[in-house]
Amino acid sequence: MLRQALLVASRSDGVRRVLETAPFSSDMVRRFIAGETIEDAARVTGELTGEGLLVTLDVLGEDTHGKGRAEENAQHYIELLERIGAAGLGTRAEVSVKLSAMGQTFDEDLALNNAYRICEAARSAGTTVTLDMEEHTTVDSTLRIVHQLRRDFPDVGVVIQSYLRRAEEHCAELAYEGSRVRLCKGAYAAPSAVAFTDKEEVDKSFVRCMKVLMAGRGYPMLATHDPRLIEIAGALAVLHDRDADSFEYQMLYGIRPQEQRRLAAQGAQVRVYVAYGREWYPYFMRRLAERPANLRFFMRSLAGRA
């Protein structure tokens, strides 16, 4: 119930206005978000890669409804990628793109064209692009765009969310040679007809999907902070004789940083999802919805500033 309430609040302009103007919010937001500018993103990327971690950068902003804004969002990514290339970070940092910020909700062809431009910039920078998965209603559209992009950019990554009932099916379809697949639990609301609503069922689905991906010939990117799932992932890597460079763990910036460094120190590839930008509110609320510990941390911050 709490998770659903927070996800509903992520779309509330009223709650958004309160949090955006409240003085206590900034410290908590900075826990999960690198800043608002490319310079902020570059600074955090340099710090993380200097510690042996990999990075994927997300420019915050979604549900774009105008062509001009969508093209502006794409141009921002292109400038970010130019910065990554100029810094020589192409082998350590990639970008994550939400297609709704590229115009997907009103023009799929526009979103494809904008994503294509970003992929070209990523290739020039010596890095890659992963397309985030968003609302359950956009899954088919996102997969269509991925398949089209992979004709020219076979290293384009895609996200599969284990809370969706078709997740295992999608993983089986995508577990082929060279296919980069990020598996996460999912942080959006969806009806029970298409999604598991019980946490245990979502976790079981995550394990089933991991088994498919780790047994396949693609490149799994396992996005979880759950110690049990990380342990299972390690066991699957041994079972399928996977080298450390044939898959990676992914975690969010600001969540379990010690675990990120512990895994990296053991030789695992660990990529940190770093979000930045002014449109932080929906992303921030989904982070609260994902883990009760995040909400408790936020409420302690609120109590301390009241």
Side-chain angles (χ1 to χ4, degrees), residues 4-217:
Q4 294 299 316
L6 288 168
L7 291 175
V8 170
S10 73
R11 294 183 173 276
S12 168
D13 290 337
V15 177
R16 177 175 186 153
R17 284 193 294 272
V18 169
L19 287 184
E20 285 182 337
T21 57
F24 57 79
S25 295
S26 59
D27 289 345
M28 183 60 180
V29 170
R30 280 197 296 270
R31 173 176 175 159
F32 301 114
I33 297 168
E36 294 190 349
T37 68
I38 286 181
E39 287 69 29
D40 292 327
R43 171 181 50 79
V44 170
T45 298
E47 292 170 356
L48 293 172
T49 57
E51 296 177 0
L53 298 164
L54 305 172
V55 170
T56 185
L57 288 159
D58 172 25
V59 182
L60 293 172
E62 52 195 85
D63 291 336
T64 300
H65 297 291
K67 179 180 179 181
R69 182 58 182 274
E71 291 177 344
E72 287 176 7
N73 291 339
Q75 186 59 38
H76 188 109
Y77 269 103
I78 291 169
E79 293 172 7
L80 172 63
L81 286 160
E82 290 172 349
R83 182 71 171 263
I84 290 172
L89 292 172
T91 60
R92 307 294 297 172
E94 66 148 34
V95 297
S96 290
V97 176
K98 287 181 172 59
L99 288 173
S100 69
M102 300 296 120
Q104 181 186 35
T105 54
F106 63 92
D107 189 336
E108 186 173 309
D109 287 338
L110 174 64
L112 172 61
N113 290 335
N114 283 330
Y116 197 97
R117 293 169 56 209
I118 294 170
C119 289
E120 287 183 319
R123 176 172 288 173
S124 296
T127 189
T128 55
V129 176
T130 295
L131 298 184
D132 279 324
M133 194 65 75
E134 303 178 69
E135 302 281 358
H136 70 280
T137 55
T138 67
V139 171
D140 290 340
S141 170
T142 298
L143 292 176
R144 280 195 300 270
I145 291 174
V146 168
H147 291 313
Q148 291 181 77
L149 288 172
R150 283 185 173 181
R151 295 171 185 172
D152 293 322
F153 306 99
D155 57 2
V156 169
V158 63
V159 177
I160 298 298
Q161 302 164 314
S162 73
Y163 85 120
L164 295 178
R165 295 183 181 274
R166 295 185 62 193
E168 187 177 359
E169 173 189 339
H170 291 315
C171 285
E173 294 170 349
L174 290 162
Y176 54 81
E177 184 74 32
S179 176
R180 299 171 59 250
V181 181
R182 177 193 298 154
L183 176 65
C184 68
K185 292 185 182 181
Y188 293 85
S192 59
V194 299
F196 300 110
T197 56
D198 179 75
K199 180 182 182 300
E200 184 176 350
E201 290 301 320
V202 175
D203 288 353
K204 288 178 179 178
S205 174
F206 194 100
V207 172
R208 292 194 298 271
C209 290
M210 269 203 300
K211 288 180 177 178
V212 171
L213 293 174
M214 295 295 274
R217 302 182 65 187

Side-chain angles (χ1 to χ4, degrees), residues 231-263:
E231 184 177 354
I232 292 171
L236 289 170
V238 173
L239 176 64
H240 296 292
D241 197 27
R242 278 189 170 269
D243 295 332
D245 62 358
S246 70
F247 74 103
E248 66 185 47
Y249 299 99
Q250 294 194 354
M251 297 187 188
L252 297 169
Y253 177 67
I255 299 181
R256 302 198 72 198
Q258 293 82 10
E259 177 66 2
Q260 296 170 14
R261 288 155 180 79
R262 183 190 72 82
L263 289 168

